[in-house]
Amino acid sequence: MERAIFAGGCFWCMIKPFDALPGIHSVFSGYTGGHVENPTYEQVKSHQTGHTEAVEIIFDPEQISYKELVELYWQQTDPTDAFGQFEDRGDNYRPVIFYFNEEQRQIAEESKQALADSGKFKEPIVTSIEPAVTFYLAEEEHQDYYKKHPENYARNAKRRKTFIENVWLEK
């Protein structure tokens, strides 16, 4: 098994796209990139810890590649928005691909460059690519949020869903 960590706004909305794919062992909501050990949701939300809401994906590279995960990641985000995603604003919602080794870094960098070269966006691709650091699991209430609270999830994911349909899905 290997690990991938992606930040793309609210972690509630980042679980579902990866959750049911073949080769995915688990997807967890959590916090990474900050300076406080074992942060809470309230602390992260206060913008005082430096953490970003993210998802940690445990996957079998024999069934799904890291490159495939990165490609799916792009399609869940607005890669031109560095200060949050959709209705979620602030540094704790910034888009980041966290890498664990040189191969992951290279895949992420090449994918980002390919997206920039594609002309799909007029604005620059600003998603960060950073080395992975400690990932802290979010509280239980934030795990599998889309399954536990489907109505609230749908309401929170509305702008994201519209963006994905308008920008990423072929018409």
Side-chain angles (χ1 to χ4, degrees):
M1 296 291 178
E2 291 186 21
R3 295 169 63 198
I5 297 178
F6 301 128
C10 177
F11 49 33
W12 295 346
C13 296
M14 291 295 293
I15 296 280
K16 187 176 181 180
F18 298 97
D19 201 27
L21 294 175
I24 301 297
H25 182 264
S26 57
V27 186
F28 298 106
S29 297
Y31 318 108
T32 192
H35 57 270
V36 173
E37 288 188 30
N38 298 307
T40 66
Y41 181 72
E42 291 302 319
Q43 288 174 316
V44 172
K45 203 167 77 170
S46 76
H47 306 280
Q48 302 302 308
T49 69
H51 287 89
T52 301
E53 286 191 17
V55 293
E56 177 187 56
I57 302 165
I58 309 300
F59 68 100
D60 179 350
E62 298 290 321
Q63 294 183 33
I64 189 165
S65 70
Y66 183 75
K67 183 177 181 179
E68 289 171 299
L69 294 176
V70 170
E71 293 303 319
L72 180 58
Y73 165 79
W74 290 121
Q75 296 172 36
Q76 308 311 308
T77 68
D78 176 353
T80 67
D81 188 350
F83 199 65
Q85 291 289 286
F86 313 106
E87 56 274 319
D88 302 311
R89 311 310 304 155
D91 58 341
N92 55 316
Y93 296 119
R94 66 193 182 94
V96 185
I97 297 173
F98 293 95
Y99 62 87
F100 283 95
N101 55 45
E102 182 58 23
E103 180 184 11
Q104 285 187 354
R105 185 197 66 74
Q106 186 173 349
I107 289 168
E109 292 285 359
E110 288 173 0
S111 180
K112 180 178 178 178
Q113 188 61 52
L115 182 58
D117 293 345
S118 75
K120 187 168 199 66
F121 296 95
K122 290 182 174 75
E123 300 84 17
I125 306 303
V126 295
T127 300
S128 294
I129 298 172
E130 302 174 10
V133 294
T134 304
F135 180 86
Y136 298 98
L137 282 178
E139 298 82 349
E140 181 57 35
E141 66 200 70
H142 300 295
Q143 305 302 329
D144 293 320
Y145 191 87
Y146 79 97
K147 293 176 184 175
K148 295 175 185 173
H149 307 283
E151 298 84 15
N152 196 33
Y153 165 77
R155 189 171 45 256
N156 279 303
K158 190 173 184 177
R159 282 183 62 201
R160 181 184 302 261
K161 182 179 183 231
T162 301
F163 180 86
I164 291 168
E165 289 171 352
N166 289 336
V167 174
W168 290 107
L169 299 180
E170 297 295 325
K171 300 208 182 212

